[in-house]
Amino acid sequence: MKIIVASANPAKIRAVQDAFCQIFSGQPLQCGGQKTVSGVAAQPMTSEETLQGALNRLQAVAAAAPGADYYVALEAGLDTDSSFAWVCVSHQGRISKTRSASLPLPPAALMAMQQGEELGDVMDRMFAQHNVKQQGGAIAMLTNHLLTRSGVYQQAIILAMIPFIQPQLFSS
């Protein structure tokens, strides 16, 4: 089974691979990433903009790398005072989407983001780290590593896969 993630971010690719390994345990999987553009701001500031970015990435990766069994796009963004991600999965022409858990952001982070900074850069500065977004993410920093970006994404990916896990319940 071939899965292509609409990102070159190792945390996103790992989350997709881990989720698919859980869902399709024992089946051979080939999971890789492909850098794509979201067509929205680097730091989406609304749920709608974040969803559009994920859908744009999904369309772009399917066009750039035809022949996969599944395409997965994850787009992180802001919804009022919380960060979250939209997860979109495409399989045989059908799309399923869901949101990840939301994490409340400190007021100083929100202010910096409203001034144009990306959350990962803000977290790097707040926690004296480098490249948090390709590691545990803001969620790891804010929860003292009780949760990771990849782990939260993994849960959302499994939820987005429900129509493909239980297709008889979602047939039209």
Side-chain angles (χ1 to χ4, degrees):
M1 178 179 313
K2 185 175 182 180
I3 304 115
I4 301 181
V5 184
S7 176
N9 183 320
K12 291 181 179 181
I13 296 167
R14 184 173 45 258
V16 172
Q17 183 166 340
D18 290 349
F20 274 75
C21 282
Q22 279 187 277
I23 295 165
F24 299 105
S25 63
Q27 294 186 35
L29 302 175
Q30 178 187 358
C31 184
Q34 169 106 21
K35 186 176 173 90
T36 59
V37 294
S38 68
V40 299
Q43 180 60 72
M45 297 298 284
T46 66
S47 177
E48 295 78 15
E49 183 182 19
T50 306
L51 176 58
Q52 190 59 59
L55 291 169
N56 290 348
R57 287 184 190 278
L58 196 63
Q59 183 178 31
V61 76
D69 296 294
Y70 289 90
Y71 297 96
V72 182
L74 302 97
E75 185 75 15
L78 195 66
D79 192 2
T80 60
D81 62 353
S82 296
S83 178
F84 76 102
W86 272 105
V87 175
C88 297
V89 178
S90 175
H91 174 62
Q92 297 178 344
R94 294 184 60 205
I95 295 174
S96 177
K97 59 186 184 291
T98 193
R99 286 178 54 140
S100 72
S102 298
L103 70 135
L105 296 175
L110 288 168
M111 190 180 322
M113 292 170 70
Q114 290 165 349
Q115 294 172 357
E117 288 189 66
E118 289 187 48
L119 179 59
D121 297 333
V122 174
M123 291 293 109
D124 282 348
R125 187 175 62 255
M126 287 179 93
F127 289 92
Q129 297 291 310
H130 176 70
N131 206 11
V132 163
K133 68 182 179 182
Q134 290 193 357
Q135 298 168 35
I139 196 163
M141 299 293 100
L142 294 169
T143 65
N144 292 328
H145 299 277
L146 294 172
L147 298 172
T148 64
R149 182 181 195 191
S150 187
V152 169
Y153 284 173
Q154 184 179 343
Q155 180 185 55
I157 293 158
I158 292 170
L159 294 173
M161 286 293 293
I162 289 172
F164 308 120
I165 296 169
Q166 302 289 345
Q168 71 282 4
L169 300 176
F170 291 84
S171 60
S172 2

